[in-house]
C-alpha cells in the first residue's frame, strides 16, 4: 500500500495499519503471503525506489532503453508521474527559473512529467501494443517493404530528440501481421531514450517475436538534435543504419532487392 506524505514520499505501510487508518474492520488476519508483503516496519520510500527494488529483486536490467512495464503495478504510474513532476520542479528551480511567478512555467513540471511517462518515453513504461498474427494461408514467399514509418526518440546521452524514418522489409514465414502494426511497434520501441544502433536491434527483435519471418531487414535514417541543436551544430547531417537477418543476410540478391525497393519509395523526413 502507498500513501503520499508532505515530502511526496510514499509510505510502505503495514496491512493492518492500512485498514485501521481507513476505519475498515476485519475479523480475520492476513494470510502468510500478505504478511510477507506488508508485515514490515513502516518506511519512507519513493515509488521510483519501490519499482527499482522490484526490478533488482528479479535481477533484471533497467537501462534507458529497457521496457520496465512488467514491474509497474496498476496505479503506480500515476504516482510516479507526480514524483517526476516534483523532480522537474526542483530542476527548474536549480536553473533559477521563477516557477512561482512566471506564468509560462508554473505548470511546466507537470507537463514535462506527463510528456515523459505518457508520450515520448511511453515505450519504457507501457506494455507493447496488442498485435494479432494470422496464418500465411497463401504461403507468400516474396518480400514486401513498408516505409517511410516516422520514428521519434531521444538521445540517451543528452535527452534531446532523434527524429527520422524507418523502412522494414519482410520475407514472410508461417504467420503475418497487419502492416499498421509495424508502425505501432516501431513507435513503441523508439519511444525511449536510445542510441540509434541499439533501437534498430531492439525493433528487429520485437518483429521477429511477433511474426517469425524467414527474412527481416530494417533501415533507419534520422536526425540527432544532440548534433544539430548543440555541440557541432550540423543541422543537415543525418545518420543511416540498417540491420538484416535471416534470408536477407544469407542471400545477397534479396538484400539488394530490399535496398532498391527502399530507394523507389518516397524519401521521408519531410518535417525538415
Amino acid at each position: 500500500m502507498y500513501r503520499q506524505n508532505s515530502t511526496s514520499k510514499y509510505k510502505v505501510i503495514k496491512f493492518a495499519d492500512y485498514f485501521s487508518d481507513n476505519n475498515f474492520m476485519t475479523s480475520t488476519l492476513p494470510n502468510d503471503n500478505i504478511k510477507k508483503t506488508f508485515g514490515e516496519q513502516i518506511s519512507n520510500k519513493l515509488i521510483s525506489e519501490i519499482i527499482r527494488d522490484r526490478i533488482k529483486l528479479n535481477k533484471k536490467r533497467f537501462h534507458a532503453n529497457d521496457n520496465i512495464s512488467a514491474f509497474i503495478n496498476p496505479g503506480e504510474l500515476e504516482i510516479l508521474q507526480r514524483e517526476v513532476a516534483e523532480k522537474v520542479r526542483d530542476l527548474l528551480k536549480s536553473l533559477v527559473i521563477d516557477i512561482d511567478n512566471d506564468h509560462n512555467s508554473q505548470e511546466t513540471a507537470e507537463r514535462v512529467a506527463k510528456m515523459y511517462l505518457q508520450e515520448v518515453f511511453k515505450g519504457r513504461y507501457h506494455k507493447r501494443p496488442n498485435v494479432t498474427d494470422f496464418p500465411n494461408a497463401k504461403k507468400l514467399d516474396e518480400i514486401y517493404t513498408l516505409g517511410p514509418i516516422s520514428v521519434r526518440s531521444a538521445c540517451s546521452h543528452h535527452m534531446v530528440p532523434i527524429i527520422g524514418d524507418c523502412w522494414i522489409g519482410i520475407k514472410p514465414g508461417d504467420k503475418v501481421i497487419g502492416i499498421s502494426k509495424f508502425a505501432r511497434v516501431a513507435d513503441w520501441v523508439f519511444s525511449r531514450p536510445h542510441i540509434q544502433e541499439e533501437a534498430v536491434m531492439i525493433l528487429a527483435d520485437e518483429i521477429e517475436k511477433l511474426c517469425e519471418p524467414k527474412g527481416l531487414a530494417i533501415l533507419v535514417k534520422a536526425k540527432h538534435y544532440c548534433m544539430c541543436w548543440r555541440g557541432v551544430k550540423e543541422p543537415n547531417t543525418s545518420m543511416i543504419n540498417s540491420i538484416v537477418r535471416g534470408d536477407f543476410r544469407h542471400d545477397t540478391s534479396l538484400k539488394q532487392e530490399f535496398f532498391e525497393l527502399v530507394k523507389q519509395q518516397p524519401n521521408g523526413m519531410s518535417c525538415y
Side-chain angles (χ1 to χ4, degrees):
M1 300 293 176
Y2 311 113
R3 177 173 301 160
Q4 187 174 9
N5 64 21
S6 59
T7 61
S8 86
K9 290 195 174 183
Y10 300 86
K11 284 186 177 181
V12 180
I13 65 174
K14 293 180 182 178
F15 185 88
D17 291 341
Y18 174 76
F19 284 102
S20 174
D21 290 351
N22 289 278
N23 298 318
F24 288 108
M25 296 189 66
T26 177
S27 59
T28 59
L29 292 173
N31 63 34
D32 289 341
N33 290 334
I34 295 176
K35 284 181 182 178
K36 184 177 181 181
T37 305
F38 295 99
E40 55 185 305
Q41 295 298 318
I42 295 176
S43 61
N44 286 324
K45 273 193 174 183
L46 293 169
I47 190 65
S48 62
E49 296 172 329
I50 294 170
I51 295 170
R52 190 182 301 114
D53 290 345
R54 197 177 290 150
I55 298 171
K56 288 180 177 179
L57 184 64
N58 284 271
K59 295 181 168 54
K60 298 295 183 180
R61 257 181 28 167
F62 50 102
H63 290 186
N65 58 7
D66 287 328
N67 179 276
I68 61 170
S69 61
F71 304 99
I72 301 175
N73 292 331
E76 290 182 340
L77 197 58
E78 291 75 13
I79 301 172
L80 182 61
Q81 186 172 314
R82 292 199 293 271
E83 179 189 328
V84 172
E86 185 167 336
K87 299 299 184 183
V88 175
R89 197 173 293 110
D90 288 341
L91 172 63
L92 295 172
K93 288 179 180 178
S94 293
L95 290 170
V96 199
I97 296 174
D98 185 358
I99 61 174
D100 296 319
N101 299 299
D102 178 4
H103 62 282
N104 290 318
S105 57
Q106 284 178 346
E107 297 179 4
T108 294
E110 289 75 17
R111 287 190 289 264
V112 170
K114 180 180 179 181
M115 176 189 72
Y116 279 142
L117 272 66
Q118 307 292 346
E119 297 179 84
V120 298
F121 293 162
K122 65 184 177 184
R124 294 198 80 232
Y125 306 103
H126 295 262
K127 297 184 186 300
R128 191 195 68 207
N130 290 327
V131 175
T132 303
D133 61 76
F134 305 92
N136 184 6
K138 297 293 185 180
K139 303 300 180 185
L140 174 68
D141 63 355
E142 298 293 332
I143 74 169
Y144 61 89
T145 65
L146 298 99
I149 298 169
S150 299
V151 289
R152 295 156 294 274
S153 186
C155 162
S156 55
H157 299 152
H158 297 94
M159 295 294 177
V160 293
I162 299 171
I163 302 178
D165 293 293
C166 173
W167 289 262
I168 299 171
I170 296 286
K171 184 177 180 183
D174 292 331
K175 56 184 181 180
V176 295
I177 62 175
I179 59 174
S180 67
K181 301 305 186 289
F182 290 102
R184 292 186 187 279
V185 172
D187 178 57
W188 176 71
V189 167
F190 273 82
S191 295
R192 312 169 193 178
H194 270 299
I195 62 170
Q196 185 172 322
E197 306 93 304
E198 291 181 356
V200 174
M201 294 174 66
I202 294 171
L203 178 58
D205 291 342
E206 292 295 335
I207 292 175
E208 284 191 318
K209 290 177 191 174
L210 288 169
C211 60
E212 300 173 3
K214 290 181 180 177
L216 171 64
I218 300 175
L219 182 144
V220 172
K221 178 182 180 181
K223 286 195 178 237
H224 292 238
Y225 280 72
C226 59
M227 186 171 179
C228 63
W229 186 30
R230 57 160 300 282
V232 294
K233 296 185 175 68
E234 285 288 346
N236 298 316
T237 300
S238 59
M239 176 179 175
I240 301 174
N241 72 312
S242 64
I243 188 168
V244 289
R245 293 182 179 176
D247 288 358
F248 284 101
R249 174 173 287 276
H250 305 303
D251 188 335
T252 304
S253 62
L254 204 64
K255 178 179 178 180
Q256 185 62 33
E257 183 180 354
F258 167 69
F259 288 113
E260 286 298 327
L261 287 170
V262 169
K263 287 180 184 178
Q264 294 173 23
Q265 293 177 343
N267 190 14
M269 301 174 70
S270 58
C271 59
Y272 311 107

